[in-house]
Amino acid sequence: MEDRPQSFSSNMLLNDSANSSESDSEAHSAFTQTEHNIVAAYLIIAGAISIFSNIVVLGIFVKYKELRTATNAIIINLAFTDIGVSGIGYPMSAASDLHGSWKFGYTGCQIYAALNIFFGMASIGLLTVVAVDRYLTICRPDIGRRMTTRNYGTLIIAAWVNAVFWASMPTLGWASYAPDPTGATCTVNWRKNDVSFVSYTVSVIAVNFVVPLTVMFYCYYNVSRTMKQYASNNCLESINIDWSDQVDVTKMSVVMIVMFLVAWSPYSIVCLWSSFGDPKKISPAMAIIAPLFAKSSTFYNPCIYVVANKKFRRAILAVVQCQRRQEITINSALPMSVSRNALTS
């Protein structure tokens, strides 16, 4: 039983044509132990920041029951995806880096890779729901006002179901999961760029990258045009929403989408390169930087909430400083609600 993780790691790192001695050499030469230790330190620090900040975000919604609205459920679900990656993926990857190679065996590799894909795809789907929410609230208020808790629940569940589908496919034979060239983390086995991998990768990028980006750009382009039109016509006072809050929330959403691009573009490029090019030409540094960038969203989303939304910032500071409910007044719901009711005690 002790030999299985080593055999698995060696056999899955390279193409089927490579022999075991070559795979052992490549698995252990991709990074030095010092470089593994640096990656582990980054994962430990980033994971701790992510878990703490997202727990604070959830704490705000626990503290202020008025914030538990249909639209705020999107942010709550995003926080759970971030906690899932930082609470499960980061520790396993950090432990393997400190060990110098993947240390959780075949089953652990499948679970780790599937959970990371699952939470990543769910996050992308939820960000798309955020964009649709902004579009309906700003551009189509007639429809936005008719959106119910059930409607939002359906969109959120669809994002999770989509994530389950794509995360489970490699475990069922469409592509596969294996350690990456560093040997210390697991992901889709892009080193084995056969027909199964290429078809899976192209499908994932089309459904979970190109389509969401198209929807996001369409939504925010129209949101931008509508906001400029209202401003130029000096008719903001006639809009039945708290416009300053909506501008704040929309800016926050746009920053989230930009950071989504920054986080997932390197990973998508690596997958496409390995599908239509020579995966052996992808450097070990790029192989590890791409998934690290993708994971980075777990700790920058809470930072975006704080920086881009003054009311959210006020609430989160109150929670961190352990202020009593009576000591803070928030003028409207945070951060995605169009409610105009004051959150007072």
Side-chain angles (χ1 to χ4, degrees), residues 268-288:
S268 299
I269 291 171
V270 166
C271 289
L272 286 174
W273 187 349
S274 58
S275 296
F276 302 104
D278 184 359
K280 293 182 180 179
K281 293 183 178 179
I282 300 175
S283 67
M286 186 62 180
I288 192 61

Side-chain angles (χ1 to χ4, degrees), residues 22-84:
E22 289 174 334
S23 59
D24 278 335
S25 173
E26 182 160 347
H28 294 288
S29 63
F31 279 119
T32 66
Q33 187 56 48
T34 299
E35 291 168 328
H36 277 299
N37 292 341
I38 292 173
V39 173
Y42 166 80
L43 290 171
I44 292 170
I45 295 172
I49 294 173
S50 176
I51 292 173
F52 173 76
S53 58
N54 281 287
I55 287 176
V56 171
V57 168
L58 294 177
I60 289 177
F61 295 106
V62 172
K63 185 178 179 69
Y64 302 103
K65 65 180 180 180
E66 297 92 335
L67 300 181
R68 302 170 203 167
T69 63
T71 47
N72 283 337
I74 308 170
I75 298 296
I76 294 173
N77 278 264
L78 273 171
F80 276 116
T81 65
D82 294 342
I83 290 173

Side-chain angles (χ1 to χ4, degrees), residues 11-338:
N11 291 335
M12 299 298 284
L13 279 170
L14 300 177
N15 292 332
D16 291 341
S17 60
N19 57 46
S20 60
S21 62
E22 289 174 334
S23 59
D24 278 335
S25 173
E26 182 160 347
H28 294 288
S29 63
F31 279 119
T32 66
Q33 187 56 48
T34 299
E35 291 168 328
H36 277 299
N37 292 341
I38 292 173
V39 173
Y42 166 80
L43 290 171
I44 292 170
I45 295 172
I49 294 173
S50 176
I51 292 173
F52 173 76
S53 58
N54 281 287
I55 287 176
V56 171
V57 168
L58 294 177
I60 289 177
F61 295 106
V62 172
K63 185 178 179 69
Y64 302 103
K65 65 180 180 180
E66 297 92 335
L67 300 181
R68 302 170 203 167
T69 63
T71 47
N72 283 337
I74 308 170
I75 298 296
I76 294 173
N77 278 264
L78 273 171
F80 276 116
T81 65
D82 294 342
I83 290 173
V85 174
S86 54
I88 299 174
Y90 278 40
M92 294 178 71
S93 185
S96 295
D97 272 300
L98 292 173
H99 183 259
S101 61
W102 182 254
K103 63 174 297 183
F104 297 100
Y106 175 84
T107 301
C109 181
Q110 302 304 297
I111 294 172
Y112 169 90
L115 286 176
N116 275 281
I117 294 295
F118 169 67
F119 287 120
M121 296 300 100
S123 179
I124 293 170
L126 291 167
L127 286 173
T128 308
V129 177
V130 170
V132 172
D133 173 71
R134 292 295 82 210
Y135 173 76
L136 295 179
T137 301
I138 303 296
C139 303
R140 300 296 302 274
D142 55 323
I143 299 176
R145 282 191 292 267
R146 295 200 300 268
M147 291 289 288
T148 64
T149 300
R150 177 173 294 184
N151 296 142
Y152 279 104
T154 300
L155 292 174
I156 291 170
I157 290 173
W160 286 106
V161 171
N162 177 72
V164 169
F165 174 81
W166 293 107
S168 62
M169 284 300 99
T171 65
L172 300 176
W174 190 11
S176 61
Y177 292 130
D180 70 359
T182 70
T185 188
C186 287
T187 185
V188 179
N189 188 14
W190 49 263
R191 305 277 293 191
K192 186 180 180 181
N193 58 339
D194 55 7
V195 174
S196 178
F197 167 78
V198 172
S199 62
Y200 175 81
T201 299
V202 172
S203 299
V204 167
I205 291 177
V207 175
N208 295 287
F209 191 76
V210 176
V211 170
L213 274 183
T214 302
V215 172
M216 292 174 193
F217 279 125
Y218 174 83
C219 290
Y220 288 121
Y221 172 74
N222 283 280
V223 165
S224 175
R225 289 186 59 188
T226 302
M227 292 171 68
K228 289 179 180 179
Q229 181 179 356
Y230 284 143
S232 62
N233 293 338
N234 296 318
C235 60
L236 299 184
E237 294 79 5
S238 64
I239 303 173
N240 191 27
I241 56 175
D242 186 336
W243 188 254
S244 64
D245 286 349
Q246 295 306 321
V247 172
D248 227 17
V249 172
T250 302
K251 288 179 179 178
M252 179 187 73
S253 304
V254 171
V255 174
M256 289 168 63
I257 303 309
V258 171
M259 293 307 297
F260 158 80
L261 272 173
V262 172
W264 284 96
S265 292
Y267 190 79
S268 299
I269 291 171
V270 166
C271 289
L272 286 174
W273 187 349
S274 58
S275 296
F276 302 104
D278 184 359
K280 293 182 180 179
K281 293 183 178 179
I282 300 175
S283 67
M286 186 62 180
I288 192 61
I289 287 174
L292 285 180
F293 261 75
K295 292 176 183 176
S296 65
S297 61
T298 62
F299 60 84
Y300 68 60
N301 275 340
C303 297
I304 294 172
Y305 308 152
V306 174
V307 172
N309 192 297
K310 57 181 177 294
K311 290 186 172 65
F312 195 94
R313 182 165 60 249
R314 191 181 307 162
I316 207 167
L317 289 175
V319 171
V320 171
Q321 295 171 3
C322 299
Q323 293 182 18
R324 297 193 307 275
R325 182 183 175 85
Q326 291 81 3
E327 294 177 346
I328 180 170
T329 299
I330 306 174
N331 294 328
S332 63
L334 308 173
M336 299 294 296
S337 176
V338 299

